[in-house]
Structure formats: C-alpha cells, structure tokens
Amino acid sequence: MSNRFEGRFAAVTGAASGNGRAIAEKLLADGATLAAIDLNPDALESVFGDRPEILQVQADVADQQSVKAGFEQIADAFGRLDILVNNAGIVKFGTFEELSQAEWDQVFAVNSTGPFLVSQAAYPLLRAGDADHTRAIVNITSVEAHIVISSSGHPQIHYNASKGALLQLTRALAVEAAAAGIRVNAVAPGFIETPFTAEALAKDEVRDWLLERTPLGRIGKPEDVANGVAFLASDEASWITGSTLFVDGGWTVY
Ligand SMILES: NC(=O)c1ccc[n+]([C@@H]2O[C@H](COP(=O)([O-])OP(=O)(O)OC[C@H]3O[C@@H](n4cnc5c(N)ncnc54)[C@H](O)[C@@H]3O)[C@@H](O)[C@H]2O)c1
C-alpha cells in the first residue's frame, strides 16, 4: 500500500468481480479516486455499496450509447481521468466447426470493441488529466493473445482472436496517444482464480496440468494482476508504452 495515486482519478471496467475487483481495490488502496464500471449493477452495489466515495457506473462496454452515458457520469463527477483499466471481458468455449457468428461477435464486442469504445470515450478526460504525471491506459489481454492453450480442453478460437486484437489495439494506440502524454500498455494474465475460471479450475486434471506448466508452482491470484496494473499505471512506468507485462507465473517461458 502506498499513496502513489493520491489526487488521481481512475476508472476500471468489469470492476465488480475477479481481476477487476482486485484492480479497483489496489488503485483505491494506493490513493486513487475510483469509478467502478460494470454491466451488473447488483454486483457493483454488493461489492462497493457501503463506500459512497466510489462512483458506481453501470455500463455495457460493448454498447456505445451505454459507454457514452457512463463517461458523462464520470466527467460530471471527476472532470478528468488519469488512469483507465480496460478489464471487462468474457470467455466462451466452442470448437471452430460449431462456433456461430453470434458467439464470435459477442466475444469480440466485449473483449475487443469494448476497450476501443471505452478508451475513445475516456480519451478527452485522459487528455485533461494531471499533466504532472503520465496518464495511463492498461488493457487486460491474456497469455492467450500470444499462445493457445486449447489443449487444456477448452477450444476458444474467438477468445484467442479477440485478445490478439486487443494486443494490437494496445500497441497501435500507444503510438497515437504518446503525443498526448498517455501511455497504453497491457497486462497478460495466465490462469487466475476468479469466477471466470472457476469451472475449469474445479477439475483436478486441469489444475494439475496447469501447475505442471507453471514454473512458480501456483495458480495466479487477482492481486497478482492488480499489482502489475498498478505498476504500469504509475510514474515508475513513465517510459513504458506499447508493452505487455506477463503475469503468468512463468507459463509463457516454457
Ligand atoms: N481469470 C483468468 O484466468 C484470466 C486470464 C487471462 C485474462 N483474463 C481477463 O481478465 C479480465 C477479467 O476476468 P475475470 O476472470 O476477473 O472475469 P469475471 O467474470 O470474474 O469478471 C468479469 C467482470 O466483467 C463484467 N462484464 C462482463 N461483460 C461486461 C460488459 N459487456 N460491460 C461491462 N462489464 C462487463 C462482469 O459483470 C464481471 O463483473 C477479462 O478481460 C479476462 O479475459 C482473465
């Protein structure tokens, strides 16, 4: 815990569960003022309801009107933004031969188009952020933007492709946003214990298979992801943009 984000305004999508919740808690613990964005208003209320200082924003990152309305709420409350974390994402499984276009489109809408819409809506607020510090966008990609682990029994070509798109969005936007003093990086988590992976991790064979391939010998925690995000959002990373930080226990080294 530090006060490195004291006086700074942050927004996190998918903040009501798993990685997003841990990222929100880490930014808060380090002093940020937070907008917690999520599709699910009940989950937002149950996680953050007893803390009125946190701005709860119900929005669907895949819907431009919803995103616009959400960022109007943030603009009214904060007037500017210093940190944006595009964390909201969904996973679906399905073999290539059986995959419908509707499933493909849904995964892309949330995982790839969502960060585009949210970053675009946040951009004027980030430009207006605290010029004494670098402002930062951190996108949560996945090791699956880089490698394919369908051998764990879960084919997910649409998820892989959507995270690959987010990786290149990160790199391309890093170039375009640099002149505005905005850094854009990615955190690529390996397998992390969240509701997202609960079903897979409940199977001993999957857990054993993962542990065998993870040099650091444990499954990741949402706090591991949050610590990586906080570093990339901080001034300690002031000369880092367009990069990916792997938070995967060494998985991708193998
Ligand atoms: N858990 C892992 O092992 C793992 C690994 C690599 C990457 N990731 C990535 O981390 C991110 C978070 O995953 P998680 O494991 O915490 O998932 P999770 O399912 O626990 O939480 C996702 C949150 O996002 C919200 N959300 C979903 N769709 C949304 C939308 N359209 N608009 C706004 N909010 C929406 C959900 O309501 C939920 O609160 C995702 O981008 C995921 O791809 C997770």
Side-chain angles (χ1 to χ4, degrees):
M1 184 159 156
S2 76
N3 61 355
R4 61 179 157 178
F5 299 131
E6 204 73 62
R8 282 193 259 175
F9 295 94
V12 179
T13 69
S17 175
N19 293 331
R21 182 176 178 178
I23 294 163
E25 295 294 358
K26 174 66 182 165
L27 298 180
L28 282 164
D30 287 358
T33 300
L34 184 82
I37 305 171
D38 206 282
L39 182 63
N40 184 339
D42 297 335
L44 276 177
E45 183 56 30
S46 83
V47 173
F48 300 113
D50 59 348
R51 287 178 285 172
E53 70 280 9
I54 297 169
L55 182 68
Q56 292 180 36
V57 179
Q58 194 275 323
D60 178 354
V61 299
D63 177 317
Q64 190 166 33
Q65 285 316 313
S66 176
V67 169
K68 267 180 85 174
F71 276 87
E72 277 164 18
Q73 225 183 306
I74 294 171
D76 287 347
F78 296 169
R80 66 165 222 258
L81 210 52
D82 302 293
I83 299 164
L84 169 68
V85 185
N86 282 306
N87 162 78
I90 55 173
V91 66
K92 301 274 173 191
F93 303 126
T95 61
F96 168 65
E97 285 188 289
E98 288 165 2
L99 205 57
S100 69
Q101 186 180 346
E103 286 172 290
W104 173 275
D105 287 346
Q106 191 198 6
V107 167
F108 263 77
V110 179
N111 294 0
S112 317
T113 308
F116 159 67
L117 295 173
V118 170
S119 301
Q120 198 175 52
Y123 207 65
L125 294 177
L126 287 163
R127 291 185 79 114
D130 183 350
D132 289 342
H133 300 281
T134 58
R135 280 139 287 138
I137 297 175
V138 183
N139 295 324
I140 306 304
T141 55
S142 170
V143 292
E144 298 217 50
H146 303 261
I147 59 166
V148 175
I149 45 178
S150 58
S151 46
S152 65
H154 296 108
Q156 45 183 185
I157 185 173
H158 44 347
Y159 183 78
N160 282 98
S162 72
K163 290 295 186 178
L166 181 55
L167 168 62
Q168 278 301 72
L169 182 158
T170 303
R171 290 156 52 88
L173 186 54
V175 173
E176 204 168 321
I182 300 167
R183 297 179 298 100
V184 189
N185 290 291
V187 165
F191 255 76
I192 310 292
E193 301 250 25
T194 72
F196 193 82
T197 51
E199 199 187 318
L201 289 174
K203 294 177 191 148
D204 283 346
E205 66 275 18
V206 174
R207 191 174 272 274
D208 292 347
W209 186 84
L210 285 166
L211 288 175
E212 260 171 44
R213 285 161 182 76
T214 306
L216 285 180
R218 67 168 172 84
I219 308 291
K221 295 180 289 196
E223 291 73 21
D224 297 316
V225 176
N227 288 333
V229 170
F231 165 66
L232 287 173
S234 77
D235 286 338
E236 288 162 32
S238 65
W239 210 51
I240 301 177
T241 198
S243 281
T244 292
L245 178 61
F246 287 87
V247 178
D248 68 352
W251 175 288
T252 42
V253 177
Y254 262 157

